Amino acid sequence: MAEKRRSSITKIAFLCLFITTTMMFVLSLRGRPGLFDHKTMPAEKLLTVFNNGDSQTSNQSNAESSNGSNRAILANSEKQRVEGGFQVSCNGNLKEPLKIFLYDLDPEFHFGLLDWKPQGNSVWPDIRTKIPSYPGGLNSQHSIEYWLTLDLLASEFSENPSSREAIRVKNSSEADLIFVPFFSSLSYNRYSKLSPHQKKSKNWELQEKLVKFVMSQKEWKISGGRNHVVLAHHPNSMLNSRMQLWPAIFILSDFGRYPINVANLDKDVIAPYKHVIKSYVNDSSDFDSRKTLLYFQGAIYRKN
């Protein structure tokens, strides 16, 4: 029993590290980053290229940037925390990355929501040539689903996979966690309203189809869903399916609209989200000049 609990703590801790590293990177951006090692990527395509932790700038004239300058962050913190008597190191130098199996869901659940059309038999875009753009504004607040999926896809093209926090594996029996790539926040933001002739919204229909698919998979039946990662970062996303998928690890922005038996600190991860407020007046500092990352950890009533 102790070994089983240690294994569970380790997986969730490593997942936290993976998500935190990715989200710190996303929060530092105003445009779209490149996600690949230098040798695997056409230099003209993306603005910023990451190679073994060092940022390099490529041809900016051909970069497809959504809204201005790009900024990069290197996460080199050497934090440690003790949980249940088990010490977890967060120094970024993991001996083994977290192995994650990615369900090959139909594009209607992920990049198809961005109007991306598959070419050939693959359900995933060839992100070495072009990354489907993500809408800005309020959509970008809860865009973690987009960035984590891209990060897993990019891990296949890394020259040094062992240096990553998480890598994609093709065999689920080798995986530590099973990733469910449903862009639930985007689905809520774009497709939760009923059109005049609909009885159910597209968002509702996608959730029903997702539950049917996931719960029919052998991976879910073996674990009861406890090793599955489900993204529900927008507080109103997954409203129709959370009660069925609750054994999974939810990636949330807070616990404000979840009963404690469905989402709690024992199994779920709270991930930060990108702010959409303006900077201070006459604030000339940039991301790299700020040495401290602050966030609020406490109990408040949502929107009070």
Side-chain angles (χ1 to χ4, degrees), residues 242-243 246 255-264 268:
R242 59 180 61 170
M243 298 301 291
W246 66 266
F255 295 117
R257 298 178 185 178
Y258 283 79
I260 195 170
N261 62 316
V262 173
N264 55 72
D268 302 310

Side-chain angles (χ1 to χ4, degrees), residues 33-245:
L35 297 168
F36 304 95
D37 293 332
H38 178 65
K39 294 181 180 179
T40 64
M41 199 65 200
E44 301 81 20
K45 292 294 181 183
L46 298 173
L47 178 62
T48 307
V49 178
F50 288 86
N51 185 14
N52 296 327
D54 296 319
S55 63
Q56 300 173 341
T57 303
S58 64
N59 188 334
Q60 295 188 17
S61 63
N62 292 324
E64 296 178 329
S65 179
S66 58
N67 54 352
S69 62
N70 289 36
R71 296 178 294 177
I73 177 174
L74 302 179
N76 292 323
S77 61
E78 295 189 358
K79 299 180 293 182
Q80 285 191 337
R81 61 191 178 96
V82 177
E83 189 172 342
F86 182 71
Q87 192 174 61
V88 180
S89 175
C90 295
N91 60 11
N93 298 314
L94 305 177
K95 291 183 178 179
E96 274 195 50
L98 194 67
K99 296 177 182 177
I100 299 183
F101 177 75
L102 182 67
Y103 278 137
D104 284 326
L105 285 175
D106 189 276
E108 69 173 334
F109 292 100
H110 43 84
F111 290 103
L113 294 172
L114 297 169
D115 300 321
W116 174 77
K117 306 296 183 185
Q119 296 179 345
N121 296 324
S122 177
V123 299
W124 302 108
D126 184 356
I127 55 177
R128 291 170 295 179
T129 56
K130 184 175 181 181
I131 300 174
S133 60
Y134 197 89
L138 289 173
N139 291 287
S140 64
Q141 271 196 324
H142 304 288
S143 57
I144 183 173
E145 54 206 20
Y146 171 79
W147 296 105
L148 289 180
T149 303
L150 286 177
D151 197 70
L152 287 176
L153 294 175
S155 70
E156 297 186 82
F157 307 107
S158 175
E159 288 186 340
N160 187 13
S162 62
S163 67
R164 301 180 63 90
E165 285 81 12
I167 59 173
R168 181 187 182 188
V169 295
K170 295 297 183 69
N171 190 335
S172 62
S173 63
E174 301 174 3
D176 300 304
L177 295 168
I178 311 296
F179 191 87
V180 182
F182 174 41
F183 291 2
S184 60
S185 298
L186 186 66
S187 177
Y188 172 78
N189 278 336
R190 285 192 155 188
Y191 302 108
S192 59
K193 293 183 180 180
L194 284 170
S195 63
H197 304 292
Q198 281 183 313
K199 292 184 178 180
K200 294 181 180 179
S201 67
K202 181 177 179 179
N203 178 49
W204 186 307
E205 291 176 347
L206 284 175
Q207 289 181 61
E208 286 186 331
K209 292 170 71 173
L210 181 74
V211 169
K212 185 176 180 180
F213 171 85
V214 170
M215 297 186 74
S216 68
Q217 301 304 303
K218 64 177 183 179
E219 290 82 8
W220 179 276
K221 293 176 180 178
I222 290 172
S223 68
R226 289 183 295 275
N227 64 348
H228 282 53
V229 178
V230 174
L231 298 131
H233 202 248
H234 192 291
N236 291 328
S237 63
M238 304 294 286
L239 277 175
N240 309 110
S241 56
R242 59 180 61 170
M243 298 301 291
Q244 295 164 283
L245 298 178

Side-chain angles (χ1 to χ4, degrees), residues 12 15 177 225-226 228-230 247-251 267-269:
I12 294 179
L15 179 64
L177 295 168
R226 289 183 295 275
H228 282 53
V229 178
V230 174
I249 300 168
F250 285 133
I251 310 301
K267 71 178 185 69
D268 302 310
V269 177

Side-chain angles (χ1 to χ4, degrees), residues 27 272 291-297:
L27 289 167
K291 303 303 181 184
T292 305
L293 175 68
L294 299 176
Y295 73 99
F296 175 80
Q297 180 179 358

